[in-house]
Structures are given as C-alpha cells and as structure tokens.
Amino acid sequence: MISPQLAAAYLADETRHCPVPMTPGRFEYRRDARHDFVFFGHRPVRAYKQSGRWKFHEPEVRAAGRAVAALPWDPDDLADPRPGGPSTQGGSLLEPAGWRAQIWRLAGSAARTAHEEHGCSCGTPWYGHAMTWGLRCSLTEEALRRRYGQYSMACILPIASLVWRDDTWMIPRTLAFMLDRWEAADEALGRAPTPCGVCGTMVTDSGWRAAATGGRQTLCPGCARATLLSYGGQFQGRAYSKIRDSAPQAGGYLCVLCVPPRPAAAWDHCHDHGLVRGPLCGSCNTMEGHGKEFITLKGSTAHLLRCTQCRTSRTLPTNHRLAALRQHLHRERAADGRDCPLHMCVQIAGGSDGGYIYTVTCADRTQSLLLSAEEAARIQARAVSEGLSSHPGAAGGEQ
C-alpha cells in the first residue's frame, strides 16, 4: 500500500510523456467523497484506510496512469460543451450541469472580474448581461486561462485547453470524453447499494456514510440514530481553532439539520467569528460553504445564529447576507409556483449609497430594481427574527 504522495509521484511518472493536461499532485481522497474511490481522469482507483491514513495499491494507481497516457490527443479535435447544442443567442438550449456547469460558472466568474476591472465595450452594467456561453464583457481567452488554468476536475485541467470558436468555448474531444466518463462512473459509485455496517440493510444514499476505524461505513437511518450522538450544544461559544484537534470527531454525531438526521462529516463554524455552530453532514456543510442556497434549508437561519456573536449582534454571517436578500426577493418577485435556485433566479450587485441593484429573472420575464441599504437591513433583520422565533432552542444552543 502506498501513500497519496507516492501515488501522485507514480501517476506523474506514468504520464510524463502524455500531452493530456493532467495534475497528478491533486490525486487525494476527499473527506466529503460519496464512495471509497479517487479518480485520475476517467479511471477510479480504490482507496483504503490503514492506521488512520488513506492509501492505495500501486498496481491500480499505475494502471490508471497508463490508461490516461494511452488516450488519443488532438487539441484541434474539438467538442461543443453546451448541453443541447448551440442556440440562436449563443447560449444553450438546456441548463448546464456537472462539469459543463463548472466551466460555465468559471467563465462567468472570470467575465465578471474582467467587467469590474475594465468595464464593458457595450456600456452595459454587469447585472444587465444574460448568463450565456459567450465571451462576455472584457474577458479574453488568455484572461480565463490565467485565472482558472489550474482549476482541476478529477486531476484534469480543462480550462487550460479551452478554445474560443465563433460564439462559444470549445473543449478537446478527449477531455470531454474523460469528463463524461468520470461523471458517469462517479455517479454510479455514489449510488451503488451498500450494506449497513450494523444491520446489513442495503442503503443507496451515500449521505449515510459515517466515519469508521477502517475508513467509512454506511449506516441505515435507524442504526445512525441508534449509534451516533445527537448534538446538545456542548461546544457553544467555543473557538473552532481551539477544539479542532481536541473535540470528538464530528463523524460520531448526527447532522443538526437533516431530517431524518444523517451522519455528520464536519464541525461547522462561523467564518466571521471562528465559533463552533454544530456538526453537519457533507451535503449541508458543502451548501453552507457555498452560501447561495443553504438559507433555503429548514432551520438553517437558526443554525447560523448558533454562533454566539452573530446571535448577540442579531446579524447573519457575511457570506449569507445576500442569500437572505435573494430569498426575500424570490418570495416577493418570482413567478408563483416556480422552484428555481435562488442564485439563478435573483442576481444582486452593489449599488450606490450602500444599496443594491437586483434582477429577478423568472418565467421568461426580467425585473431590475433598486433596493436601498435601509430596506436591505430591514429584510436581513426580519430573517434573523424569523430564524430565532422558528427555532427558539438556537438561542440557547440546544436542539
């Protein structure tokens, strides 16, 4: 068995003459993984936990490297990454998902940065631009590669190989093949039925994986409730930096938000004040880190206020304040019966005098209006009050 560092070295050796843009140094087991495999390109490699460390079989690692090195590579043989093909507006007929969505978002992020730094030749404010696959604002091919050229997916570096053609980004066909195969295999492994480590019941949801001495084991909902602890606020007001190494593993607790509660994966903490809030499962913790949709979860606002400093000041953490505005605007302005993601439906940009300019796009209609700083503060204060009143236990740190 070999370490991740040695595995990365062997992969680099096997692909030393391979032109496919890869980064073997990113080959490592992720704590939030849905299965016990790590991908090198389109090839999964089984990870094994020994003495608290994740390790790999050398033959399997080298086989993955050789499989990638054997792929054909023609940088001029390009594929259109837009799902559903091109549209007349230079966009896409379908909403991107998976690796395509990641590239779409990265290009949009780079375009926004270019707009903030250099403006736009058409003179349109950023919030007036539609989200398309187009080369928007002042963004150039070189600027996108410079900003995200080292962004990896399954150790693949797709941004470095993107090419601009006519009205969209194109990707070498070999990379499209690898990314499609990676996503399909990752999804299949994540959904593969595994037996509960206690009672043997087959479980198909990877969110029920819990930490164990030999790696991670699957628990059915009943066994999770019977074997894991419910969090009672015992680390309320404690600094995460102080308890990170001394506190019990979060994997020994149930998630404080899920219903029914899944095994926790991490100690969630406030990034403004560094104080512990409670154990969250991998899914909830990832959503909290992204900030955009977390506030839509039941009990999420009350959970954010488990940070004693946020609760005392009656303010939301910085990375969730815009989400509170989006949620309010989505309720007030979106079309009835629509259930689209907040960050897709409501766009918010900073305006003058501390206010905001928001755009709501829903059911083929777009509204752009101003939101004053005072009104934004009232909306956020209302969200705090609703969070505390809907879950009074958060005020004392108990569930």
Side-chain angles (χ1 to χ4, degrees):
M1 302 293 280
I2 60 175
S3 67
Q5 294 78 13
L6 193 53
Y10 288 153
L11 290 170
D13 178 62
E14 293 290 350
T15 57
R16 64 188 181 279
H17 301 304
C18 175
V20 179
M22 304 291 294
T23 175
R26 307 275 176 84
F27 184 82
E28 58 186 2
Y29 184 82
R30 291 180 51 182
R31 184 178 60 183
D32 60 349
R34 302 186 301 163
H35 45 68
D36 291 338
F37 290 83
V38 179
F39 279 84
F40 186 66
H42 61 301
R43 287 294 296 265
V45 179
R46 179 70 182 267
Y48 303 86
K49 199 169 188 180
Q50 291 187 344
S51 302
R53 304 281 184 177
W54 288 99
K55 296 187 177 182
F56 305 89
H57 277 307
E58 179 183 343
E60 296 176 8
V61 170
R62 288 192 175 277
R66 288 193 293 269
V68 170
L71 291 172
W73 177 254
D74 181 357
D76 296 321
D77 181 16
L78 302 172
D80 190 332
R82 293 174 291 184
S87 73
T88 56
Q89 289 78 34
S92 171
L93 298 176
L94 300 173
E95 192 71 24
W99 67 265
R100 291 171 171 83
Q102 291 187 55
I103 290 178
W104 186 64
R105 286 194 294 266
L106 292 175
S109 174
R112 180 162 192 162
T113 298
H115 185 280
E116 292 171 348
E117 293 177 350
H118 308 294
C120 183
S121 58
C122 69
T124 304
W126 172 257
Y127 63 84
H129 284 271
M131 288 292 288
T132 72
W133 287 86
L135 191 65
R136 292 177 287 154
C137 301
S138 303
L139 182 64
T140 63
E141 294 180 66
E142 294 74 18
L144 178 62
R145 296 193 191 99
R146 185 167 56 250
R147 186 170 181 82
Y148 290 116
Q150 293 303 306
Y151 185 90
S152 65
M153 307 178 200
C155 298
I156 303 167
L157 298 172
I159 305 299
S161 299
L162 291 181
V163 177
W164 180 253
R165 286 286 188 273
D166 299 326
D167 65 346
T168 190
W169 297 101
M170 303 287 281
I171 188 170
R173 196 172 303 279
T174 296
L175 294 191
F177 164 80
M178 294 173 70
L179 291 166
D180 282 337
R181 288 281 298 273
W182 157 58
E183 282 194 345
D186 182 62
E187 183 67 19
L189 288 170
R191 291 184 177 277
T194 53
C196 171
V198 177
C199 70
T201 299
M202 298 304 290
V203 181
T204 58
D205 187 341
S206 61
W208 292 95
R209 287 161 53 84
T213 305
R216 297 183 71 82
Q217 70 171 350
T218 298
L219 294 176
C220 68
C223 289
R225 289 193 298 271
T227 59
L228 301 179
L229 300 172
S230 294
Y231 180 64
Q234 53 266 46
F235 299 112
Q236 188 79 19
R238 300 279 298 277
Y240 174 69
S241 60
K242 300 293 185 182
I243 65 102
R244 179 170 46 199
D245 298 323
S246 60
Q249 291 290 318
Y253 289 84
L254 294 166
C255 176
V256 297
L257 283 180
C258 287
V259 179
R262 300 183 184 198
W267 285 108
D268 176 50
H269 60 285
C270 176
H271 293 274
D272 283 357
H273 305 112
L275 301 180
V276 174
R277 290 188 292 232
L280 293 181
C281 68
S283 176
C284 290
N285 192 53
T286 298
M287 288 186 71
E288 191 284 321
H290 290 168
K292 295 176 180 177
E293 303 293 326
F294 179 76
I295 207 165
T296 63
L297 299 179
K298 184 178 180 180
S300 58
T301 303
H303 172 74
L304 295 175
L305 295 169
R306 285 191 172 98
C307 167
T308 53
Q309 291 195 33
C310 286
R311 189 172 64 248
T312 299
S313 61
R314 297 182 71 86
T315 58
L316 292 171
T318 303
N319 64 323
H320 293 281
R321 292 173 189 170
L322 286 184
L325 299 182
R326 285 194 181 96
Q327 185 179 45
H328 172 81
L329 294 168
H330 190 271
R331 290 171 177 168
E332 297 294 319
R333 299 285 181 175
D336 292 339
R338 298 284 289 185
D339 187 24
C340 47
L342 294 184
H343 70 282
M344 298 297 296
C345 179
V346 183
Q347 299 291 319
I348 298 180
S352 59
D353 300 324
Y356 299 91
I357 302 168
Y358 71 87
T359 302
V360 179
T361 303
C362 198
D364 299 324
R365 71 181 187 191
T366 299
Q367 311 168 65
S368 293
L369 297 169
L370 296 175
L371 187 68
S372 69
E374 293 76 14
E375 188 175 0
R378 285 195 297 272
I379 293 171
Q380 291 169 345
R382 190 181 309 131
V384 169
S385 296
E386 290 175 354
L388 291 175
S389 63
S390 65
H391 200 312
E398 300 295 332
Q399 288 218 97

